[in-house]
Amino acid sequence: FRLAPRINAPGRLGKPEISFQFLTCSDTVSAMELVDKLEQINLERRKLEQKSIEEVYAECERLDNRGDRGLVVYGNYHSGIIGIIASRIVDRFHKPAIIFTEDAGDTSTLKGSGRSVEGINLYETLKKCSDNIIQYGGHAMAAGLTLEKKRLSEFQDIFNCVIPKEGTGFDIQPPEELYIDYTPRVDEIFNTTFINYYKHFEPFGNGNPEPIFLLADQKINRASTINNHLKYSIIVNGKNYRGIGFGMADKLNIVQDSSVQLAFKLKKNVFRGEEYTELHAIDILPTA
């Protein structure tokens, strides 16, 4: 996960030949010079991503608050990073997301990149919207498409309509049996040292699932609901850690009454330039 983003970065920014030169280089001095180029281009990619992501987050908050089942956002973003942004949106909101930007070759056309959640086949969803799409391709979890700019609003409406109300990723209920990887003390995982080491387990996905932690007797602070989601926080050593439970608004009465069993995954997010750790609840039960 440390090498791949750097090798991919030049291709995202339209300079794939630099990665090719690096991978085929047989001279150490030249290779080190190319490594420096890769690092600088990756830093540029990260800056572009950070510049765009907060604007996208704000728009997705608005769409999520009004109840959109899929998040469709258009803006002046670099085409090489819209897939990354879509992945960030899915991680944060747990809904299918498509990010559009203008096609560099035709300002009347939009280029989009989408990511999905378990339970929503993005390719099949786009197939149902195909009357409004110039072309598309992909698979269940990711897809790319082009669209006439004038049809963006119409596409957005249809995209939301064809995503089912039930059975979507953000409506998925926890399994009856939940496998916990570790039951820590709060001081074990909510510290800088652990968080810095934890990221070395990435990337998570098929074959390397995210660990599920359990706090067996945890007091919840400042719980509230937004749409069908539960927002909450916990306080550890005087520091506030934010959390969210997608589709768990019905747990509000549980977390307000007493301490709970909180099963969660650790997520790292960035908001307004500030990096923070967030708890994504998998299940919440009363303390036995």
Side-chain angles (χ1 to χ4, degrees):
F1 89 99
R2 298 185 69 181
L3 295 177
R6 289 160 173 80
I7 294 172
N8 284 341
R12 293 186 180 280
L13 302 188
K15 305 171 185 176
E17 67 279 0
I18 295 176
S19 296
F20 178 78
Q21 291 165 6
F22 166 69
L23 291 170
T24 57
C25 184
S26 58
D27 176 71
T28 302
V29 174
S30 298
M32 292 305 296
E33 291 174 352
L34 289 166
V35 164
D36 288 338
K37 286 186 179 181
L38 290 177
E39 182 64 20
Q40 290 304 312
I41 293 172
N42 189 53
L43 288 173
E44 181 184 353
R45 187 271 304 170
R46 290 172 64 181
K47 287 178 181 177
L48 287 169
E49 181 185 338
Q50 186 57 43
K51 181 181 178 182
S52 302
I53 196 68
E54 291 180 12
E55 176 186 317
V56 178
Y57 277 162
E59 175 61 9
C60 287
E61 287 279 4
R62 185 185 71 82
L63 297 175
D64 188 47
N65 287 342
R66 77 177 188 183
D68 283 22
R69 302 174 203 163
L71 305 175
V72 178
V73 178
Y74 160 63
N76 184 26
Y77 313 123
H78 192 291
S79 61
I81 64 169
I82 56 176
I84 298 175
I85 294 175
S87 295
R88 298 280 188 270
I89 297 306
V90 170
D91 287 343
R92 186 180 181 93
F93 294 91
H94 212 60
K95 290 184 177 183
I98 299 178
I99 309 300
F100 283 106
T101 191
E102 278 190 2
D103 191 324
D106 183 359
T107 56
S108 67
T109 302
L110 301 180
K111 180 180 180 180
S113 184
R115 299 292 184 272
S116 194
V117 295
E118 292 293 339
I120 296 292
N121 186 313
L122 187 57
Y123 180 82
E124 292 299 324
T125 300
L126 292 179
K127 185 184 291 186
K128 297 174 183 177
C129 307
S130 58
D131 288 347
N132 287 271
I133 301 174
I134 296 174
Q135 61 180 13
Y136 66 99
H139 52 83
M141 301 300 289
L145 67 157
T146 54
L147 182 77
E148 286 185 273
K149 186 190 292 186
K150 65 183 181 181
R151 305 196 76 169
L152 176 62
S153 179
E154 184 179 355
F155 169 81
Q156 189 174 30
D157 291 341
I158 295 174
F159 184 72
N160 273 288
C161 286
V162 298
I163 294 176
K165 290 182 179 180
E166 303 298 331
T168 61
F170 42 89
D171 286 323
I172 290 176
Q173 297 300 312
E176 290 185 10
E177 290 188 352
L178 187 63
Y179 293 94
I180 302 298
D181 293 284
Y182 189 50
T183 303
R185 302 187 313 271
V186 288
D187 59 335
E188 285 185 278
I189 62 174
F190 292 101
N191 63 69
T192 304
T193 301
F194 179 86
I195 297 299
N196 287 338
Y197 277 109
Y198 183 71
K199 64 187 179 183
H200 292 296
F201 287 96
E202 298 174 343
F204 298 119
N206 290 334
N208 185 32
E210 290 180 77
I212 297 177
F213 300 98
L214 174 69
L215 296 178
D217 187 12
Q218 181 61 49
K219 185 69 176 177
I220 299 296
N221 183 50
R222 293 193 300 183
S224 62
T225 60
I226 179 168
N227 292 333
N228 192 37
H229 313 313
L230 175 71
K231 285 196 170 185
Y232 63 94
S233 64
I234 68 171
I235 297 177
V236 180
N237 295 328
K239 186 174 181 181
N240 191 62
Y241 291 88
R242 285 179 278 186
I244 188 165
F246 294 104
M248 294 188 184
D250 60 339
K251 302 283 188 178
L252 182 61
N253 63 324
I254 296 175
V255 302
Q256 287 179 328
D257 292 340
S258 60
S259 296
V260 297
Q261 300 179 78
L262 175 63
F264 64 96
K265 295 178 180 178
L266 279 177
K267 300 283 188 177
K268 184 171 285 188
N269 282 321
V270 178
F271 182 68
R272 294 180 178 174
E274 179 185 357
E275 191 172 77
Y276 64 94
T277 301
E278 188 173 66
L279 289 70
H280 283 202
I282 303 301
D283 200 5
I284 302 174
L285 296 172
T287 302

